[in-house]
Amino acid sequence: MVSPELAARWTMVRALLGRAQATLPSPPLRHVQACAKLYEDFAEYLEHNELELALDTLMELGHLTSPGGGFWRDLERAAEVMGLNNRVVAPREAFRTAPGPEKADADQDKAFDADEAGASRESQNE
């Protein structure tokens, strides 16, 4: 029997992977066949609750289709929820180079945090 905590984590990971998959752009013509096979594999892995393999498949699809930053952020979060700490780095790095407004929002948040930290230091020095 699966613990309620584990079942909740599986549900969260499935939601993150599903959301990421839904944001994938159409593949370039040269990758259509490979992506079709990967989509089939992804569905099969989800059906059998092979969430780590589903994550791997989405990462491969992401490298073939160049999705936006939100895709990579969802994969990063899924890896974290699964406790795959060594697998968090790759989607985090891909997020940094991904196109899209999600990345711009994250950059703005970092700039705001830096401004706030600078203002805090300045007020302490006065």
Side-chain angles (χ1 to χ4, degrees):
M1 182 168 176
V2 175
S3 73
E5 180 183 297
L6 183 57
R9 289 191 329 173
W10 285 349
T11 298
M12 183 182 297
V13 169
R14 286 174 166 278
L16 288 164
L17 296 177
R19 186 169 70 180
Q21 187 263 341
T23 67
L24 282 167
S26 298
L29 289 177
R30 68 184 182 278
H31 296 306
V32 168
Q33 211 169 21
C35 287
K37 172 69 171 119
L38 289 168
Y39 276 116
E40 288 175 20
D41 292 347
F42 174 73
E44 184 176 332
Y45 295 143
L46 281 183
E47 183 180 325
H48 296 284
N49 207 38
E50 295 287 348
L51 301 179
E52 187 173 353
L53 292 173
L55 173 71
D56 292 342
T57 303
L58 283 181
M59 289 188 67
E60 194 169 344
L61 279 162
H63 291 298
L64 295 174
T65 60
S66 302
F71 170 85
W72 297 108
R73 196 57 97 194
D74 284 341
L75 295 189
E76 178 184 352
R77 289 183 184 128
E80 287 172 344
V81 172
M82 287 190 279
L84 302 172
N85 297 329
N86 61 331
R87 304 290 299 286
V88 172
V89 175
R92 188 174 292 155
E93 289 300 317
F95 171 78
R96 290 188 183 134
T97 60
E102 300 91 348
K103 184 175 183 287
D105 292 344
D107 290 343
Q108 286 176 342
D109 290 345
K110 286 180 188 174
F112 177 77
D113 291 342
D115 289 345
E116 286 293 307
S120 175
R121 282 192 301 270
E122 287 175 12
S123 66
Q124 289 175 353
N125 290 335
E126 292 178 356

